[in-house]
Structures are given as structure tokens and as C-alpha cells.
Amino acid sequence: RARLAHAGPFTFIEGDIRDRALVARVFEGHRFDAVAHLAAMAFLTDWVVYARLPPHVVRGAALLSGVYDLVPFADFELGHMAGITAANAPGLSPLRLRRPLNLSVALGVGDGEPPKFRLQTALFAQHLRALGAQIETISGRGHDHYSIIGEFGRDGALARALLKMTQ
């Protein structure tokens, strides 16, 4: 069973990640792209102020191969297609948002990723540490943007980091 809260452009879905039917409905009902970016925006949003949700509604996160600063993409075709402009890119960039954090974040990036992905992950880790988050950076040996997700389904470093957060 899921509880929904709508706040501006976001739909916050509270439910049990182990509920396969719920997860399937969420993925079927929404078109996802830039998931790590959206997850970062979610935990950097002050949900108490923004949607009157209880404090600590987000207790941890595991992000894979993300783009956390959209400013460099504002002048590219993909940025234009996504509605990213020089004016709105800073506010849409988790790397530029600031609020105190008290949560654990696992950041996974494949060593086969382009250098700019690896740099954005490193910069985002530094940023989150400065905000108070506990960070674990995990390098996916032999993985790229598309293959690293398999680390969640195995007894890999990302799966172990995620399980550690739930204890």
C-alpha cells in the first residue's frame, strides 16, 4: 500500500521497497530518466517545509552513475530538450543545493564511466560530506552506466551498502 503526497512538480510515494507489486506499479505508471539526479533532488528537498511531511522521511539513499550538476548541460541540445536553461540549471542541480543532512548515502559509479560522470560523483560526494551526510563511494569495477545496476542484485558492494543503511 502506498501513500502519495503531491508537492509542486513532485509526487512523493511512500511505500515498502520490498513490495514488488508497488514497485512494479510505480515503474509502470511513471517514465523515469535521470533517476540518480531525481533521487538526489528528493533527499536535498526539505520535505517538512515543502510538503509538510515528517522530519527524516528520507533516511538514506543509494545513487548510481548520476549527473548532479546540470549547469554544464544548459547549452547543449539535450539540455534544451529537457527544458534546462542557464537560469534554471543551478536550482535543478543537486550539487548546488544546500541544506543540513543527517543521512547515509552510497554513491556508485562504474570505472568504465566517462571521466565527467566519475568527476560529478566525486564532487557530489565532497558536497554531501560538507552538508553532514555519511558517504560511501563505491567504484563498480568493470561497470559502466548501464551495467552497474546489476550490483544491486548481487552480493556486491552496493547491495551491502544499501542493506547496512536499513539496519
Side-chain angles (χ1 to χ4, degrees), residues 69-80 83-90:
D69 186 3
L70 300 181
V71 171
F73 300 98
D75 292 328
F76 290 98
E77 183 178 346
L78 184 59
H80 293 285
I84 300 168
T85 66
N88 69 12

Side-chain angles (χ1 to χ4, degrees), residues 54-79:
H56 309 295
V57 70
V58 177
R59 296 181 184 164
L63 309 178
L64 302 172
S65 301
V67 174
Y68 306 108
D69 186 3
L70 300 181
V71 171
F73 300 98
D75 292 328
F76 290 98
E77 183 178 346
L78 184 59

Side-chain angles (χ1 to χ4, degrees), residues 6 15 18 47 53 80 82 97 149 151:
H6 300 282
R18 297 168 296 181
W47 290 104
L53 293 174
H80 293 285
L97 301 179
I149 191 67
E151 283 294 306

Side-chain angles (χ1 to χ4, degrees), residues 6 13 15-16 23 36 54 58 60 64 77 80 82 86 91 121 124 136 144-145 151 154-155 160 164-165:
H6 300 282
I13 303 168
D16 190 331
V23 172
V58 177
L64 302 172
E77 183 178 346
H80 293 285
T121 299
F124 195 50
E136 184 171 356
D144 61 21
H145 191 73
E151 283 294 306
R154 299 186 194 99
D155 185 27
R160 287 191 300 274
K164 188 168 61 174
M165 282 182 222

Side-chain angles (χ1 to χ4, degrees), residues 9 16 33 35 50 58 103 106 124 143 155:
D16 190 331
D33 195 9
V35 175
Y50 198 67
V58 177
L103 68 148
F124 195 50
H143 289 288
D155 185 27

